[in-house]
Amino acid sequence: MSERHVLVLPDRDAAEELSAELSDRFGVAEEPQLVRDALAGEDDAEDAQWLVVVEDPDGRLDPAALDDFAAEYEGWLEAP
């Protein structure tokens, strides 16, 4: 069963670092997608969060492990 996991990170640097580590830590084959997510009503780029979208075509990634991994970068796994 194909799944998509969305990790929310506080800034671009954290998102890029986490993204680079994903394949080493979890064996993610497909390049994660990085998306800037400006907070509603905020124009200041400093207030933007970054999303790392991870495709999980085989449904083999453990959401709890991904959440713990994101926490290392002051982020979290978005609830489905």
Side-chain angles (χ1 to χ4, degrees), residues 6-13 15-16 33-53 76-79:
V6 178
L7 303 170
V8 182
L9 284 300
D11 56 47
R12 183 179 187 147
D13 289 343
E16 289 176 345
Q33 180 183 1
L34 272 59
V35 180
R36 183 179 174 273
D37 182 35
L39 299 176
E42 296 291 338
D43 293 328
D44 188 350
E46 294 300 313
D47 291 328
Q49 294 175 324
W50 283 79
L51 308 179
V52 178
V53 181
W76 65 89
L77 174 66
E78 190 71 22

Side-chain angles (χ1 to χ4, degrees), residues 1-7 22 26-33 52-67 77 80:
M1 181 171 126
S2 182
E3 292 184 42
R4 173 178 287 161
H5 304 282
V6 178
L7 303 170
L22 271 170
F26 293 97
V28 174
E30 191 173 324
E31 183 75 22
Q33 180 183 1
V52 178
V53 181
V54 182
E55 298 296 336
D56 184 12
D58 302 322
R60 65 176 185 78
L61 296 175
D62 177 13
L66 286 172
D67 190 45
L77 174 66

